[in-house]
Amino acid sequence: MTTRYRIDRLGSQGDGIAHVERQPVFIPFVLPNEVVTAARIKDRAELISVIEPSPLRVPPACRHFTVCGGCALQHMDHSAYLAWKRAKVVEALKSRGIDAPVAETVACPERSRRRVVLSARRTEAGMLLGYNRALSHEIVDIAECPIAVPAIEAALPMLRQLAKLIAATPQAFHMTVTATASGLDIAAEGSGKLSEAARRTAADFIIREGGARLSTDGEIIVEPRKPQVDFGGAVVTPPPGGFLQAVAAAEDAMAGLVLAHLAKAKRVADLFAGSGAFALRLARQSEVHAVEGDAPALAALDRGFRSATGLKRVTPEKRDLFRRPLTFKELNAFDAVVFDPPRAGAEDQSKQIAKSEVPKVAAVSCNPTTLARDLEILLSGGYQLKAVTPVDQFLWSPHVEAVALLEKPKRRR
């Protein structure tokens, strides 16, 4: 049934929230104070029309917006959008009783996403390649993507052909595509086991199209050129499908904040170090102990360190920090700590840092909720929160990164 709604505010996922008999109804692609009509099913509604648009409403950048589930907020004025992302961080901190200075959001440029995860599936009508419709497994076939770097957007027809070559299953699968200095690095997951003939065909195709690497389920099919990513002058080849900050400019911004805060530290522990985005930059000014649970990522970091010049010592340690966090006694050997955990945060590790005497800490997070929890732990251990900076790495999505900088005053003897 189509009903008229007035939108009260935006929810955490970017949906508008209206209230009917004190019950929230979630409506995507709307803005606060708009009057809209929408078709309701339980607590969600599909937008039909905007009767009274907000002055903050702007034309979307992509023809697929509202159909493709990749973006939620292309229709929102950019300044208001950045303020909304900052507010997400502020509210997460307030929920834990933390009143701290929060900087303005570091903006994310269009066409800057160097790493995208596409969905693909073979159908009778042809190969689908794109993103899932919101709250659905339906793949929306895309012809453009204004968040992606031009090298990825221009390669969409080629990637669709490649998906057809490697689709050894009728089921949907994923292709992580990374634009590197040496070409596209393509990692498929769940595409099925390839025959020898299919492997040769796919390998020839990648070579002909100038790709850097193709892997399926972690196995390298062909690697004409090693994918290369620059971490502050140190060149790294990440493992197939390995984690990489999605936007180089966002990574630079976060690293700049971390490096400035830890500038005087002689020895730094980089926890959840990945392939070295922070560790190898920090090694320009400090000795670094890089701790990471993923062996291929740690090996990539170590190779990047050994092939670079002008770096101080970097020592790698493979360790599952969720099961075995560095203890406060181990941490006391360092002048500073940076940690950048997955979305689940670093609760147990934060408890150890809180008990330590490490003077400076930089906490990097892609989840304001778990960041706030971890900061509460650190503050209870005597740390002081000096600054929090939101970083918009995932343009037009509800996700926001943040860098929090902390100090612990020296105890008087």
Side-chain angles (χ1 to χ4, degrees), residues 54-183:
S54 165
L56 300 178
R57 179 171 285 275
V58 297
C62 179
R63 77 182 84 167
H64 303 298
F65 182 62
T66 74
V67 180
C68 164
C71 293
L73 292 155
Q74 286 189 19
H75 61 301
M76 189 176 193
D77 170 79
H78 193 61
S79 295
Y81 160 80
L82 292 177
W84 179 74
K85 288 217 165 176
R86 178 182 178 275
K88 286 172 68 74
V89 176
V90 171
E91 290 303 317
L93 296 177
K94 283 186 176 179
S95 73
R96 292 280 177 170
I98 301 171
D99 184 12
V102 178
E104 297 301 313
T105 306
V106 176
C108 179
E110 292 183 33
R111 306 190 185 283
S112 63
R113 185 88 174 261
R114 66 180 173 186
R115 182 177 186 269
V116 301
V117 181
L118 300 169
S119 296
R121 184 167 64 86
R122 187 196 298 275
T123 71
E124 292 182 0
M127 199 72 206
L128 295 178
L129 180 74
Y131 302 107
N132 285 7
R133 187 186 293 270
L135 304 177
S136 168
H137 295 296
E138 178 189 348
I139 298 173
V140 177
D141 199 52
I142 62 170
E144 64 178 355
C145 183
I147 63 170
V149 295
I152 292 178
E153 187 178 48
L156 287 172
M158 179 275 285
L159 293 168
R160 191 171 283 103
Q161 292 181 58
L162 175 62
K164 187 175 181 179
L165 294 177
I166 64 173
T169 172
Q171 304 301 316
F173 60 95
H174 292 123
M175 292 172 62
T176 299
V177 183
T178 304
T180 77
S182 48

Side-chain angles (χ1 to χ4, degrees), residues 4-335:
R4 180 179 292 212
Y5 299 92
R6 179 173 289 277
I7 308 304
D8 298 321
R9 60 186 176 88
L10 293 185
S12 63
Q13 297 304 303
D15 291 343
I17 300 178
H19 286 86
V20 177
E21 297 176 351
R22 297 185 180 181
Q23 297 300 313
V25 178
F26 298 90
I27 309 172
F29 316 124
V30 297
L31 295 172
N33 299 316
E34 289 188 329
V35 175
V36 305
T37 58
R40 179 180 176 183
I41 302 177
K42 296 183 180 179
D43 65 345
R44 299 194 62 82
E46 182 178 350
L47 178 66
I48 303 299
S49 66
V50 179
I51 298 171
E52 296 180 17
S54 165
L56 300 178
R57 179 171 285 275
V58 297
C62 179
R63 77 182 84 167
H64 303 298
F65 182 62
T66 74
V67 180
C68 164
C71 293
L73 292 155
Q74 286 189 19
H75 61 301
M76 189 176 193
D77 170 79
H78 193 61
S79 295
Y81 160 80
L82 292 177
W84 179 74
K85 288 217 165 176
R86 178 182 178 275
K88 286 172 68 74
V89 176
V90 171
E91 290 303 317
L93 296 177
K94 283 186 176 179
S95 73
R96 292 280 177 170
I98 301 171
D99 184 12
V102 178
E104 297 301 313
T105 306
V106 176
C108 179
E110 292 183 33
R111 306 190 185 283
S112 63
R113 185 88 174 261
R114 66 180 173 186
R115 182 177 186 269
V116 301
V117 181
L118 300 169
S119 296
R121 184 167 64 86
R122 187 196 298 275
T123 71
E124 292 182 0
M127 199 72 206
L128 295 178
L129 180 74
Y131 302 107
N132 285 7
R133 187 186 293 270
L135 304 177
S136 168
H137 295 296
E138 178 189 348
I139 298 173
V140 177
D141 199 52
I142 62 170
E144 64 178 355
C145 183
I147 63 170
V149 295
I152 292 178
E153 187 178 48
L156 287 172
M158 179 275 285
L159 293 168
R160 191 171 283 103
Q161 292 181 58
L162 175 62
K164 187 175 181 179
L165 294 177
I166 64 173
T169 172
Q171 304 301 316
F173 60 95
H174 292 123
M175 292 172 62
T176 299
V177 183
T178 304
T180 77
S182 48
L184 294 185
D185 179 20
I186 304 155
E189 293 288 336
S191 57
K193 184 173 177 59
L194 295 178
S195 67
E196 284 302 315
R199 289 168 67 97
R200 287 193 298 271
T201 300
D204 290 345
F205 180 82
I206 287 294
I207 293 169
R208 188 166 63 250
E209 295 293 332
R213 179 172 65 188
L214 170 66
S215 62
T216 60
D217 295 323
E219 179 190 0
I220 295 175
I221 303 299
V222 64
E223 189 180 64
R225 294 180 298 279
K226 289 192 176 298
Q228 295 183 337
V229 179
D230 188 305
F231 292 150
V235 177
V236 170
T237 297
F243 174 79
L244 182 71
Q245 299 289 355
V247 173
E251 179 180 274
D252 288 341
M254 292 188 289
L257 293 165
V258 171
L259 265 65
H261 186 57
L262 309 186
K264 295 182 180 179
K266 292 183 178 180
R267 295 197 68 212
V268 178
D270 180 4
L271 311 181
F272 308 94
S275 294
F278 294 115
L280 296 174
R281 287 179 168 90
L282 283 164
R284 297 283 172 192
Q285 63 190 37
S286 310
E287 290 188 2
V288 181
H289 185 58
V291 186
E292 169 58 45
D294 183 71
L298 194 65
L301 184 159
D302 190 46
R303 288 192 298 270
F305 163 66
R306 294 179 185 280
S307 64
T309 58
L311 301 186
K312 298 183 183 295
R313 184 172 63 165
V314 176
T315 53
E317 179 185 356
K318 182 182 181 300
R319 183 161 171 170
D320 184 342
L321 291 169
F322 291 108
R323 295 178 179 273
R324 195 163 64 93
L326 261 68
T327 67
F328 70 94
K329 291 182 179 180
E330 293 174 289
L331 290 165
N332 284 339
F334 300 97
D335 305 303

